[in-house]
Amino acid sequence: MRAGIDRHEGAEFVSARAFYGIPILQKSFFWDGNGEVDNSGLGVHWGHFVSDHTALGLGTNLANWWTGGRDVQSVELEGTIRIYPKQDWPLFVGGNCGYQLANDQIPPGGTLWNFSFGFGAGLDVPIAAGTSALFGVDYHHISNALGRDTPRNPSQNEARLWFGFGWTF
């Protein structure tokens, strides 16, 4: 096996990451965001390469939201896609969508639950046979999806910086 994650059809990987979310205030891309709570956490993801360039998977993120008062904790379950445009390049793009449940309203004034999605790019840097260091940044959005006209529909947009490790199995 070559160094790093083996990216061929049928291969599988697991990755672990740490992240830090920096709020993007106001409208970004097409989505409003009025939440302004930094957060950090850990994530674990599994993926299966359905082609030499594309992996589909599942993941979970555990986050702590730094609200300034009593912190809020959440768990997020998500489906993922990761695409390597060129087989030998370390660059990949990815996306995710899922569901988040928290122990208090997040963002403040919101609900205990939110839908989430994100997209971004990263680097897959080989460090040993079957092992890679991973670095990335994602645009991450959470919202309870109750609609623009609902007064209880706060959302948050953020730049989520992350690093981690991946292993092929």
Side-chain angles (χ1 to χ4, degrees):
M1 185 181 302
R2 69 180 192 264
I5 290 182
D6 191 10
R7 302 183 300 232
H8 70 274
E9 185 175 350
E12 296 185 347
F13 70 88
V14 66
S15 65
R17 67 173 65 171
F19 63 84
Y20 190 83
I22 303 165
I24 301 169
L25 301 179
Q26 304 303 322
K27 189 170 194 147
S28 60
F29 295 104
F30 303 104
W31 304 281
D32 291 326
N34 51 6
E36 49 186 287
V37 183
D38 287 22
N39 62 87
S40 59
L42 301 172
V44 176
H45 295 83
W46 164 85
H48 175 79
F49 280 90
V50 295
S51 76
D52 290 345
H53 300 278
T54 305
L56 299 177
L58 299 170
T60 187
N61 297 304
L62 304 173
N64 190 76
W65 300 78
W66 307 95
T67 61
R70 183 177 76 85
D71 292 343
V72 175
Q73 290 76 39
S74 68
V75 62
E76 181 179 7
L77 302 174
E78 59 189 4
T80 64
I81 185 170
R82 185 183 293 178
I83 301 169
Y84 291 83
K86 297 274 259 170
Q87 180 68 19
D88 295 330
W89 287 8
L91 175 70
F92 62 86
V93 294
N96 60 67
C97 62
Y99 177 80
Q100 175 185 283
L101 184 61
N103 66 346
D104 203 347
Q105 298 173 351
I106 202 68
T111 57
L112 302 180
W113 60 273
N114 285 288
F115 294 105
S116 65
F117 69 87
F119 53 87
L123 290 175
D124 176 342
V125 181
I127 58 175
T131 304
S132 290
L134 302 168
F135 305 91
V137 61
D138 291 333
Y139 175 87
H140 186 252
H141 174 86
I142 64 167
S143 173
N144 59 32
L146 294 177
R148 291 178 197 258
D149 298 329
T150 302
R152 218 166 129 82
N153 186 33
S155 62
Q156 178 161 315
N157 302 317
E158 63 190 29
R160 192 170 266 190
L161 309 172
W162 60 268
F163 72 93
F165 295 94
W167 300 271
T168 300
F169 58 95

